[in-house]
Amino acid sequence: MTDTRLPGDDEAAFIAAARSNDSARFALITEPYRRELQVHCYRMLANYEDAQDMTQETFLRAWNKRESFKGHAAPRTWLYRIATNACLDFLEKRNDRTPVPAELPGTGSEVHHLQPYPDRMLPEDPQEAVVARETIELAFIVAVQHLPPRQRAVFIVRDVLGWPAPKAADTLELTVASVTSALQRARVTMRERLPGRRLDWRSPATHELSDDERGVVRSYMDAHERNDLDGLTALLRDDLRFAMLPEPGALVVTAKDAVDGWISSGLFQRGYDDWRCVATTVNRMPAAALYRRTPEDPEHRLFNIAVLHIVDGKIAELTGFDATGKPWLGLPATL
């Protein structure tokens, strides 16, 4: 994402709004930045609701600090600086926003606060969309959470936003040498967490689903609606990584363990045998919204959302999220 300055007239309008006492005028001129700032906060926090809150906090701080905007930096830079520091302040106060060791030995760690990001809320700017998939996918977001907060901020502004070191240093109130050192350490961690994946986050990457991905989603939904455990199992890679959030201890790393867990929890048995599914996307990834109807209920109600990472026609990672009470997903509550 480039950080170009506004045309002269628009920048003058932003300065005038910043110097005014008209909150409605200021809100109108900063509103176009909302979606990209919210994605930035999400990358920092991995939680959609927290990102919403911190984006609102960013606008509040921007209004309160409006006199500090002198036009020396682009409005986007100024707002991103405020958003980044709002997220860092949030993380400093919350000790539940770091990965915790998984209960099963050898499975690494879990990010219990992870939430999906609805695609309908992603920026419409094509310059942002061109990198959206690789920098918004769940694996990337989880990997970033393993970085210490300030190192995380350095990595995002340098390698995702593409800011030069001096600008990053000014934003984070660090020296250029500190930014360079933090970035080097962050890249090492990201390589460890995302082995085999491209690490040039600023080069073009498609965000369109493949025909292969769409086909697997259809088969996944069909297996659920037909209560076909064998069909569901056939879609999984043997080394499947499965997690159901926000439940702690739900992380498993083989298809057999996942299926055994589903059977023991009653999948396709009474009360969990009447499903309807809707294909969707979150985090630029294929997903299925699962609706369950219990014997005493006339309607299928939104139950959870399964986000799929598909490799060579098989589900390599399946992350389930509780979807109840989350209208921001943009899914109907009942079918």
Side-chain angles (χ1 to χ4, degrees), residues 21-146:
N21 288 319
D22 187 343
S23 60
R25 179 183 179 187
F26 187 77
L28 185 65
I29 208 162
T30 54
E31 182 61 26
Y33 298 96
R34 179 179 295 276
R35 288 194 177 193
E36 62 181 275
L37 289 171
Q38 188 163 296
V39 170
H40 177 61
C41 292
Y42 177 73
R43 289 180 180 129
M44 286 287 296
L45 305 175
N47 184 281
Y48 182 83
E49 291 165 321
D50 291 342
Q52 278 188 314
D53 291 344
M54 288 305 100
T55 303
Q56 199 58 39
E57 174 68 12
T58 296
F59 287 129
L60 179 61
R61 291 188 184 192
W63 169 250
N64 291 334
K65 297 178 179 180
R66 61 193 183 280
E67 293 182 359
S68 69
F69 181 76
K70 307 296 185 182
H72 302 310
R76 175 179 276 112
T77 301
W78 184 66
L79 290 169
Y80 268 89
R81 177 184 294 120
I82 295 171
T84 301
N85 285 295
C87 290
L88 289 172
D89 290 345
F90 174 87
L91 290 169
E92 186 177 353
K93 297 173 184 176
R94 299 290 293 267
N95 58 11
D96 62 340
R97 288 297 183 266
T98 55
V100 297
E103 294 183 8
L104 189 66
T107 56
S109 54
E110 298 178 277
V111 180
H112 293 158
H113 58 278
L114 178 67
Q115 288 182 334
Y117 200 100
D119 282 9
R120 65 188 182 86
M121 295 305 297
L122 288 169
E124 297 174 352
D125 183 346
Q127 290 301 313
E128 178 68 16
V130 81
V131 297
R133 180 162 188 178
E134 290 210 345
T135 61
I136 202 71
E137 283 185 340
L138 292 179
F140 179 90
I141 297 299
V142 168
V144 169
Q145 302 312 298
H146 288 81

Side-chain angles (χ1 to χ4, degrees), residues 103-260:
E103 294 183 8
L104 189 66
T107 56
S109 54
E110 298 178 277
V111 180
H112 293 158
H113 58 278
L114 178 67
Q115 288 182 334
Y117 200 100
D119 282 9
R120 65 188 182 86
M121 295 305 297
L122 288 169
E124 297 174 352
D125 183 346
Q127 290 301 313
E128 178 68 16
V130 81
V131 297
R133 180 162 188 178
E134 290 210 345
T135 61
I136 202 71
E137 283 185 340
L138 292 179
F140 179 90
I141 297 299
V142 168
V144 169
Q145 302 312 298
H146 288 81
L147 303 175
R150 198 159 293 272
Q151 194 180 113
R152 186 184 312 174
V154 168
F155 175 76
I156 291 172
V157 299
R158 289 284 284 117
D159 272 11
V160 178
L161 302 183
W163 288 10
K167 183 191 290 188
D170 179 61
T171 295
L172 300 172
E173 299 181 344
L174 298 170
T175 65
V176 171
S178 296
V179 164
T180 301
S181 176
L183 181 60
Q184 290 172 344
R185 295 195 302 274
R187 285 172 174 170
V188 169
T189 300
M190 293 299 286
R191 289 190 187 98
E192 292 172 348
R193 294 286 168 182
L194 297 172
R197 296 212 181 184
R198 174 169 76 78
L199 297 181
D200 181 5
W201 309 113
R202 285 169 287 165
S203 62
T206 179
H207 61 261
E208 298 296 331
L209 297 187
S210 67
D211 291 340
D212 205 26
E213 289 174 315
R214 293 188 182 95
V216 171
V217 172
R218 285 194 297 269
S219 297
Y220 178 86
M221 296 191 301
D222 182 62
H224 267 276
E225 293 184 348
R226 291 189 296 107
N227 294 320
D228 182 0
L229 185 62
D230 289 339
L232 181 60
T233 303
L235 296 171
L236 310 176
R237 279 175 49 135
D238 291 341
D239 59 349
L240 172 78
R241 182 180 178 87
F242 167 73
M244 183 66 208
L245 297 173
E247 297 177 12
L251 178 64
V252 298
V253 291
T254 70
K256 182 181 184 306
D257 288 341
V259 172
D260 287 348

